[in-house]
Amino acid sequence: MGSTNAVERENRPADIAPPLVSVIVPHFNDLGGLALCLADLERQTWPRDRFEIVVADNASPQGDAAVATVVDGRARLVIVRERGAGPARNGGAAAARGEVLAFTDCDCRPEPGWLAAGLEALTRYDVVGGQVRVLVEDLARMTAAEAFETVFAFRNERYVNDKGFTVTANLFCARGVFEAVGGFAVGVSEDVDWCRRAAATGYSLGYAPGAVVGHPARRTWADLLNKTRRINAETFALHAREPRGRAVWLARTLALPALALGQALRVLATSQLQRPADRAGALVTVFRLTWWRFWNSLRLLFARAPA
């Protein structure tokens, strides 16, 4: 289904203007991050008159006026009252005017060539995921959580090529593709769910290494645990609706100790961590997080077993 669209884009006459792009930025309670993200988007190499920015604020506690002050005319502001990043993205997409939708997050730092590289990849694929680089606040004083995320977080090339999805912090598609697939769901891993539905509809997914956004690493154990708790619950929700999903979930849970050993070897072998203290912090976090995931996964399985 998607190949026809790609051929049409490749055969676009040279005298026709490039497509208008809508960059969708969901936001909640991170005015500082939003300001940096908007500044980076203003520095894109893609012509500024060929893309708009839509900030979809999820009713931030600072209030609409405070968000509008940060936006400062650089984007159109949409207020989405329904809670959740998925509804915020859906609200931004509904307000978008572009032929192409490019999704990123308010705490992300798009590099100058992000838009151009993602759009170029859309000539070959219907859905594109770009590279996500983990950002650390101070490399000389890396926390254990930052060390862990440096090695394991946002491995989007692997997600795209091996697991069939891209994170929503770096996702491109035509408006028509988004409308055919439908919006992002709530209560599940929305990136996995949406990309699965796109594949089931017949659309192709590809990776664009040049479409780079930076994403800050979680700095504390509490931040990392909150992220893991959310992802574990959303992933379980995806499994629970499949016919044999609970059995698969149990098998995955029982395999976690072996997975931890593999992750420990990766920490020891990686060139991403230079200091012994950072490797030690990452190793401790691997086993600490695995232990937590093991018991949390069992709790999800048996607490929500069907009557």
Side-chain angles (χ1 to χ4, degrees):
M1 178 181 293
S3 58
T4 302
N5 293 337
V7 170
E8 289 175 353
R9 288 192 290 272
E10 289 173 349
N11 293 335
R12 181 187 295 272
D15 59 344
I16 294 180
L20 177 66
V21 182
S22 295
V23 179
I24 312 299
V25 184
H27 171 262
F28 178 75
N29 197 28
D30 186 7
L31 296 179
L34 177 62
L36 293 172
C37 181
L38 291 175
D40 288 338
L41 289 173
E42 288 285 299
R43 289 191 283 267
Q44 292 297 299
T45 59
W46 188 256
R48 186 62 184 89
D49 63 342
R50 299 307 301 162
F51 74 93
E52 65 169 0
I53 307 168
V54 181
V55 172
D57 183 70
N58 208 195
S60 292
Q62 296 91 344
D64 302 352
V67 180
T69 298
V70 172
V71 169
D72 192 26
R74 293 176 290 185
R76 290 195 295 121
L77 177 60
V78 178
I79 307 300
V80 180
R81 302 295 178 188
E82 182 183 355
R83 290 295 187 184
R89 291 188 183 95
N90 294 340
R97 297 180 292 213
E99 303 165 49
V100 175
L101 305 181
F103 293 91
T104 191
D105 288 343
C106 65
D107 57 351
C108 287
R109 305 294 306 275
E111 295 193 359
W114 172 66
L115 263 181
L119 294 170
E120 190 278 330
L122 277 181
T123 65
R124 301 186 303 278
Y125 307 102
D126 300 302
V127 180
V128 167
Q131 181 182 169
V132 182
R133 289 180 179 161
V134 178
L135 304 178
V136 173
E137 189 169 302
D138 185 350
L139 289 173
R141 299 179 180 180
M142 195 181 297
T143 68
E146 286 177 321
F148 176 88
E149 291 236 306
T150 295
V151 180
F152 296 108
F154 302 112
R155 300 166 65 189
N156 209 36
E157 182 175 12
R158 177 171 175 258
Y159 301 160
V160 170
N161 293 332
D162 298 339
K163 296 193 173 184
F165 77 95
T166 175
V167 295
T168 45
N170 198 344
L171 186 157
F172 296 79
C173 67
R175 170 191 288 278
V177 171
F178 186 80
E179 292 175 347
V181 174
F184 295 103
V186 179
V188 297
S189 296
E190 61 194 49
D191 43 12
V192 177
D193 173 71
W194 191 89
C195 289
R196 283 181 179 175
R197 285 188 280 126
T201 309
Y203 292 117
S204 61
L205 170 67
Y207 181 67
V212 183
V213 299
H215 193 295
R218 273 72 180 180
R219 299 201 72 244
T220 69
W221 167 253
D223 291 338
L224 191 58
L225 189 60
N226 285 337
K227 170 191 172 183
T228 305
R229 180 181 290 109
R230 173 181 57 81
I231 291 176
N232 221 37
E234 292 174 346
T235 305
F236 175 76
L238 279 179
H239 279 76
R241 67 190 192 185
E242 299 295 330
R244 294 179 52 81
R246 291 177 178 272
V248 172
W249 183 261
L250 178 59
R252 281 171 47 120
T253 300
L254 297 177
L256 282 173
L259 176 64
L261 292 176
Q263 288 181 327
L265 292 175
R266 181 179 174 88
V267 169
L268 294 173
T270 187
S271 61
Q272 295 172 282
L273 302 176
Q274 300 299 320
R275 302 188 311 157
D278 296 334
R279 291 184 193 273
L283 282 172
V284 169
T285 304
V286 163
F287 291 107
R288 189 181 181 189
L289 202 60
T290 299
W291 178 255
W292 186 91
R293 284 183 61 198
F294 183 85
W295 290 110
N296 179 257
S297 296
L298 291 177
R299 184 187 66 80
L300 289 170
L301 180 64
F302 293 111
R304 303 186 184 185

